[in-house]
Amino acid sequence: MADDDVITPPTRTVAFRGEKLIVWPLRLQQIGPFITASRTIIARVAMMAGAVDGSERAAVGAILLDLLEQDGAEIASALAVATGRDADWIAGGTLDEVADLLDAVVGLNRDFFAHRLRQLLVQAKLQADVSTDSQTSSST
């Protein structure tokens, strides 16, 4: 890679309320507000994931409707953080548009949360362990 090469993060373009939204991976400054907005959704989705496996279509539909009813405002807020748009504007989208936008945001950030973050944490632990070991052996 040459010094002047620039890595451009992937994007997704989503048709939303008659506009084309370009969705980027979350930036560091968005993580706090995004997690705050989606904290209850994350917990409910994790809890519901087990209930969906092996369930009938009607049961899965009921679970999704419950999620939309209970957490619609949080979904709009999280997507607003990710897109830089107003939460009320996001909430005015159709269910299909919201699903497409949600899919784009999750898809662009899945690797970071599922793999890269875990690798960073494991590496930090290993470095801390090595540092602790070297301090212990140098003090003896």
Side-chain angles (χ1 to χ4, degrees):
M1 179 188 248
D3 289 341
D4 59 353
D5 285 347
V6 175
I7 297 174
T8 303
T11 61
R12 298 242 326 249
T13 302
V14 178
F16 197 90
R17 297 191 65 181
E19 296 184 26
K20 290 189 185 251
L21 293 182
I22 298 173
V23 183
W24 296 75
L26 291 170
R27 296 180 309 272
L28 180 60
Q29 67 194 35
Q30 293 173 298
I31 294 293
F34 182 82
I35 296 296
T36 298
S38 59
R39 185 173 309 280
T40 59
I41 303 164
I42 294 167
R44 285 173 51 85
V45 167
M47 184 177 66
M48 291 176 176
V52 170
D53 289 338
S55 295
E56 297 290 326
R57 279 185 143 169
V60 172
I63 290 169
L64 290 174
L65 288 174
D66 184 58
L67 180 70
L68 292 171
E69 179 215 354
Q70 297 292 321
D71 300 311
E74 288 84 1
I75 292 169
S77 293
L79 292 174
V81 170
T83 61
R85 300 301 295 253
D86 184 67
D88 288 336
W89 187 80
I90 297 291
T94 68
L95 293 179
D96 280 339
E97 290 172 329
V98 170
D100 289 344
L101 186 56
L102 188 58
D103 183 56
V105 170
V106 170
L108 287 167
N109 294 285
R110 179 179 291 123
D111 181 64
F112 176 78
F113 288 110
H115 303 290
R116 304 260 338 252
L117 184 59
R118 184 180 186 287
Q119 290 172 342
L120 290 170
L121 292 172
V122 168
Q123 187 174 12
K125 182 187 180 316
L126 291 174
Q127 289 175 353
D129 290 347
V130 167
S131 175
T132 303
D133 289 346
S134 67
Q135 288 176 356
T136 304
S137 61
S138 66
S139 62
T140 55

